């Protein structure tokens, strides 16, 4: 069942640019330019793109805080802007760079307030809070005012705050930004567990591709307000021809003219003692290693998986 | 924006509870800054002495000043000093700062209109200010000078209602001034104008009755300013007969309703043309 659908979604902004000493011209900029999207219930979707690609703008239109210039949007069967307050009861939003907690109040009181604002029955609230407390280890700072929390602690509080009313869709806008490795892992682990239940649909925008690799099977890449890829990470690799790389250290220089089917010699370094070969899709590293070993004695080798960063960087540049 | 169901939902019991919870949160948020409360109350008391001696000099010169006797003028000054932070005429920039930084997005993502949520918190803040900021100057004034004791049975409850309405009116004015940030990005200019204008036009620095009658009447009817400070003070010191005393509070109520409506409209208009700051 489709829980989020967008067709031809567009958002134009009018900006004034200097044109001469006093004159200013109005120019229309499309932040989002015809995005089509369909997300199924329970899906975990990664939504990525370079800075200014239109990710946050799309998210704001999906959550109803920004009116689209054109196009159709439905989230949980509602029209986001027109039915914003009703939609708010059914979605949760975490902005990595914003806070929805009360700065001066202890975390516990912020959660209590949200229960009233979202009209959550107290048994449901207690059960959800108990689960978050256990999974996100909140107990140590539940009574600390939000202003005194570290970023990692606050983000765990934000995640809890977004989930206490049992949302059907959770929108996460850069939830791991600025977090240390341990906190990032805690947040990812929690989201993975949440996604595994299948009760919540996750839409995640991030610049940290490790978040995506860990959490999302489906990846939507936007650039200049347009969707440039919509599919799995593997499909992305396939489409952009990313290849595994085999690095071998040899005891003797590699004979000139060495060639093996299914692999390309990318570089020969250290007077022929180190070679880098990129492997075609479907070719086993074993065959290439055997051929190499036949040509020169092997000392050491490693195989590098294609990095999603490289693919995405190529995508952004293209 | 809201359908008929949403409008009916506006005054539902859970909404009332949410309003109460937010008001309680406003109270607690402001209770955390105790040293600031002590410093603020001390300042209010010091300025109370300065103001009271200036106005007493005026009374001494003429025996009575524009219909206030000595005790009424003393009460006027000390209660004004107490009401200053209850009504909160200045120094509220929370909304404009949130608009500027883009944090206002999180307010819009709640199932409660922002005007309602901010009003609830502001009333909680005002409740807290009654204890920490209203009482000290009033107690000092009572001990040092002696205050006016109202003669009519309904004056004190009417004063309480008038203070509540003054707080709502002041909240709305502050909200509107802050909301200019939706269009201007920076609301500091309007906030400074509001700070200067409201003090003078609300009767904080001198009773508005010192102004020529047509000007005073025009201010009362055509602007919400006298309702922010002068009206509750005149109600308390029984400056006018019972009919006018109640009429002034009714006028405050009309202004409160108009201003709330203006806030709601402004907020909705802002949301329609909104460019939320930040990525």
């Amino acid at each position: 069942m489709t829980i989020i659908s967008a067709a031809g979604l567009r958002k134009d902004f009018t900006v004034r640019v200097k044109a001469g000493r006093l004159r200013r011209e109005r120019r229309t900029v499309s932040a989002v330019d015809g995005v089509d999207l369909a997300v199924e219930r329970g899906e975990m979707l990664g939504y990525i793109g370079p800075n200014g690609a239109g990710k946050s703008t799309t998210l704001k239109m999906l959550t109803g805080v920004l009116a689209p210039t054109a196009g159709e949007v439905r989230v949980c069967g509602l029209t986001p802007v027109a039915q914003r307050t009703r939609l708010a009861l059914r979605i949760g939003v975490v902005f990595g760079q914003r806070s929805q907690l009360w700065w001066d109040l202890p975390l516990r009181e912020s959660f209590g307030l949200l229960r009233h604002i979202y009209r959550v029955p107290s048994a449901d609230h207690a059960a959800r809070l108990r689960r978050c407390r256990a999974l996100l280890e909140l107990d140590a700072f539940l009574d600390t005012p939000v202003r005194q929390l570290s970023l990692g602690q606050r983000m765990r509080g934000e995640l809890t705050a977004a989930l206490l009313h049992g949302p059907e869709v959770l929108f996460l806008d850069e939830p791991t930004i600025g977090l240390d490795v341990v906190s990032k892992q805690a947040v990812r682990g929690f989201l993975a567990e949440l996604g595994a239940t299948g009760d919540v649909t996750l839409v995640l925008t991030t610049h940290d591709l490790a978040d995506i690799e860990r959490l999302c099977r489906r990846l939507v890449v936007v650039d200049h307000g347009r969707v440039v890829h919509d599919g799995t990470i593997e499909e992305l690799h396939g489409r952009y021809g990313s290849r595994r790389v085999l690095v071998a250290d040899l005891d003797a220089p590699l004979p000139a003219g060495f060639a093996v089917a299914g692999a390309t010699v990318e570089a020969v370094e250290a007077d022929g003692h180190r070679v880098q070969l990129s492997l075609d899709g479907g070719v086993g590293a074993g065959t290439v290693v055997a051929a190499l070993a036949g040509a020169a004695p092997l000392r050491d080798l490693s195989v590098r998986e294609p990095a999603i960063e490289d693919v995405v960087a190529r995508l952004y540049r293209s | 924006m809201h359908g008929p169901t949403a409008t009916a939902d506006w005054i539902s019991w859970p909404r009332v509870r949410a309003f109460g919870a937010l008001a309680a949160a406003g109270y607690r948020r402001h209770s955390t800054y105790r040293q600031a409360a002590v410093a603020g109350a001390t300042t209010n008391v010091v300025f109370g002495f300065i103001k009271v001696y200036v106005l007493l000099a005026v009374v001494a010169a003429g025996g009575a000043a524009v219909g206030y006797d000595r005790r009424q003028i003393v009460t006027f000054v000390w209660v004004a000093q107490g009401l200053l932070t209850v009504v909160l005429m200045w120094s509220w920039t929370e909304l404009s700062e949130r608009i500027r930084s883009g944090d206002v997005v999180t307010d819009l993502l709640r199932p409660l209109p922002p005007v309602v949520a901010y009003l609830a918190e502001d009333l909680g803040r005002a409740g807290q200010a009654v204890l920490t900021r209203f009482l000290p100057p009033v107690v000092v004034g009572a001990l040092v000078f002696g205050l006016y004791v109202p003669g009519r049975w309904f004056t004190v409850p009417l004063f309480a209602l008038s203070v509540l309405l003054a707080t709502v009116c002041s909240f709305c004015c502050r909200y509107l001034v802050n909301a200019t940030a939706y269009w201007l990005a920076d609301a500091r200019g309007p906030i400074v104008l509001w700070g200067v204008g409201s003090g003078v036009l609300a009767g904080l620095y001198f009773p508005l009755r010192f102004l020529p009658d047509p000007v005073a009447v025009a201010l009362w009817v055509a602007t919400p300013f006298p309702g922010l400070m002068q009206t509750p003070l005149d109600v308390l010191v029984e400056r006018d007969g019972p009919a006018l005393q109640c009429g002034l509070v009714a006028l405050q109520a009309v202004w409160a309703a108009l201003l709330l409506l203006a806030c709601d409209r402004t907020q909705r208009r802002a949301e329609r043309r909104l460019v939320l700051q930040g990525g």
Side-chain angles (χ1 to χ4, degrees):
Chain A
M1 196 184 128
T2 308
I3 196 159
I4 300 173
S5 63
L9 192 60
R10 213 177 83 219
K11 181 70 193 177
D12 295 339
F13 291 111
T14 309
V15 289
R16 284 155 168 254
V17 282
K18 250 185 148 170
R21 192 165 290 179
L22 290 170
R23 241 161 36 84
R24 283 176 141 212
E25 269 176 9
R26 283 167 159 262
R27 193 180 294 168
T28 305
V29 177
S30 295
V32 173
D33 191 4
V35 165
D36 299 316
L37 197 65
V39 184
E40 298 300 310
R41 195 176 281 275
E43 217 177 337
M44 295 174 87
L45 176 82
Y47 198 72
I48 67 166
N51 288 322
K55 303 184 298 292
S56 293
T57 307
T58 309
L59 223 56
K60 283 170 187 165
M61 288 194 283
L62 293 179
T63 52
V65 293
L66 204 58
T69 309
E72 289 280 316
V73 208
R74 303 285 284 176
V75 178
C76 302
L78 301 169
T79 310
V81 170
Q83 297 172 298
R84 193 187 73 218
T85 39
R86 277 175 70 191
L87 181 64
L89 293 167
R90 297 173 63 181
I91 60 169
V93 187
V94 174
F95 288 108
Q97 312 205 60
R98 312 249 176 268
S99 180
Q100 59 176 317
L101 303 166
W102 281 262
W103 194 244
D104 322 85
L105 295 179
L107 208 47
R108 190 193 294 274
E109 289 191 32
S110 281
F111 294 156
L113 255 177
L114 288 169
R115 175 171 90 76
H116 288 294
I117 291 174
Y118 284 92
R119 305 168 229 165
V120 185
S122 68
D124 293 352
H125 174 84
R128 288 180 194 134
L129 184 56
R130 208 163 34 240
R131 182 154 172 262
C132 288
R133 275 167 69 171
L135 287 173
L136 289 165
E137 296 170 17
L138 303 176
D139 284 5
F141 50 88
L142 210 48
D143 291 305
T144 311
V146 171
R147 63 188 139 91
Q148 290 171 15
L149 297 180
S150 74
L151 185 61
Q153 291 172 334
R154 208 200 78 208
M155 197 44 68
R156 286 186 266 165
E158 301 280 355
L159 278 170
T160 308
L163 288 167
L164 285 174
H165 56 287
E168 293 164 50
V169 187
L170 183 62
F171 292 96
L172 300 143
D173 192 1
E174 301 187 35
T176 56
I177 196 165
L179 296 186
D180 64 50
V181 182
V182 178
S183 299
K184 265 186 192 174
Q185 280 173 353
V187 168
R188 282 178 198 145
F190 176 75
L191 292 176
E193 195 149 324
L194 186 72
T197 62
D199 300 335
V200 186
T201 309
L202 285 179
V203 177
L204 170 72
T205 82
T206 184
H207 286 297
D208 191 333
L209 295 164
D211 290 347
I212 303 277
E213 281 185 306
R214 172 78 204 274
L215 294 169
C216 306
R217 271 198 45 74
R218 182 175 162 202
L219 182 65
V220 171
V221 187
V222 284
D223 197 9
H224 294 101
R226 295 208 172 122
V227 174
V228 291
H229 174 83
D230 184 351
T232 62
I233 292 173
E234 291 75 34
E235 282 166 1
L236 187 70
H237 283 308
R239 188 170 146 200
Y240 288 89
S242 13
R243 308 167 94 189
R244 289 191 294 164
V245 174
L246 185 119
V247 183
D249 285 334
L250 308 171
D251 274 332
L254 188 74
F258 171 82
V260 52
T264 316
V265 179
E266 296 286 344
V268 180
E269 296 161 343
D271 298 327
H273 284 77
R274 168 171 284 189
V275 282
Q276 278 192 35
L277 297 134
S278 62
L279 310 183
D280 293 352
V283 174
T287 345
V288 181
V289 172
L292 258 182
L298 273 175
R299 190 195 304 156
D300 197 4
L301 56 84
S302 63
V303 178
R304 235 179 30 223
E305 290 299 318
I308 186 171
E309 263 94 357
D310 297 338
V311 188
V312 171
R314 271 162 55 198
L315 201 61
Y316 288 179
R317 277 196 295 266
S318 62
Chain B
M1 284 239 358
H2 300 281
T5 42
T7 318
D9 205 33
W10 241 76
I11 41 167
S12 65
W13 176 235
R15 271 272 161 91
V16 173
R17 277 222 310 252
F19 193 89
L22 277 165
Y27 182 96
R28 284 195 303 276
R29 277 182 64 190
H30 288 270
S31 317
T32 48
Y33 302 105
R34 289 194 198 115
Q35 283 167 333
V38 172
T42 310
T43 313
N44 293 153
V45 168
V46 170
F47 276 91
F49 276 107
I50 296 171
K51 270 171 67 180
V52 86
Y53 283 121
V54 170
L55 285 172
L56 279 178
V58 176
V59 177
V66 285
Y68 300 98
D69 65 19
R70 184 182 187 279
R71 188 145 278 203
Q72 282 173 317
I73 238 13
V74 165
T75 306
F76 190 98
V77 170
W78 286 107
V79 176
Q81 289 305 100
L83 281 184
L84 189 53
T85 30
V86 175
V87 171
L88 193 70
M89 311 256 286
W90 315 310
S91 71
W92 190 75
T93 53
E94 193 176 333
L95 176 65
S96 65
E97 279 163 17
R98 288 178 72 79
I99 295 169
R100 206 166 122 93
S101 68
D103 285 346
V104 74
V105 171
T106 58
D107 300 333
L108 298 177
L109 285 168
R110 298 230 162 99
L112 207 60
V115 179
V116 176
Y118 277 98
L119 174 64
E121 281 202 46
D122 200 60
L123 291 180
R125 176 207 58 73
Q128 201 274 334
V130 166
L131 297 182
T132 57
R133 306 294 295 275
F134 176 76
L135 291 178
V138 171
V139 168
V140 169
L143 291 178
V144 179
F145 297 89
L147 298 183
Y148 177 83
V149 180
R152 300 168 198 152
W153 66 268
F154 58 84
T155 292
V156 172
L158 193 64
F159 169 69
L161 175 65
S162 179
V163 170
L164 177 67
L165 290 171
T167 309
V168 172
C169 287
S170 158
F171 162 78
C172 291
C173 292
R174 284 180 273 124
Y175 195 96
L176 290 171
V177 169
N178 272 258
T180 56
Y182 281 122
W183 288 270
L184 303 176
D186 189 347
R188 273 179 293 186
I191 286 172
V192 168
L193 268 180
W194 151 256
V196 175
S198 65
V200 176
L201 300 176
L204 176 66
Y205 301 125
F206 60 88
L208 296 177
R209 308 287 178 133
F210 278 102
L211 296 171
D213 275 352
V215 178
V217 170
L219 267 181
W220 243 284
V221 177
T223 80
F225 294 110
L228 303 178
M229 188 61 79
Q230 179 84 32
T231 299
L233 296 172
D234 279 350
V235 165
L236 183 68
V237 302
E238 296 172 339
R239 166 68 173 65
D240 309 291
L244 187 53
Q245 193 185 17
C246 295
L248 287 177
V249 178
L251 188 58
Q252 258 188 313
V254 170
W255 268 111
L258 286 175
L259 286 167
L260 277 172
L261 196 68
C263 286
D264 185 58
R265 287 291 139 85
T266 307
Q267 178 65 34
R268 284 177 192 208
R269 176 156 291 204
E271 285 167 16
R272 274 206 297 277
R273 54 87 53 206
L274 198 56
V275 179
L276 293 162
Q277 312 284 330

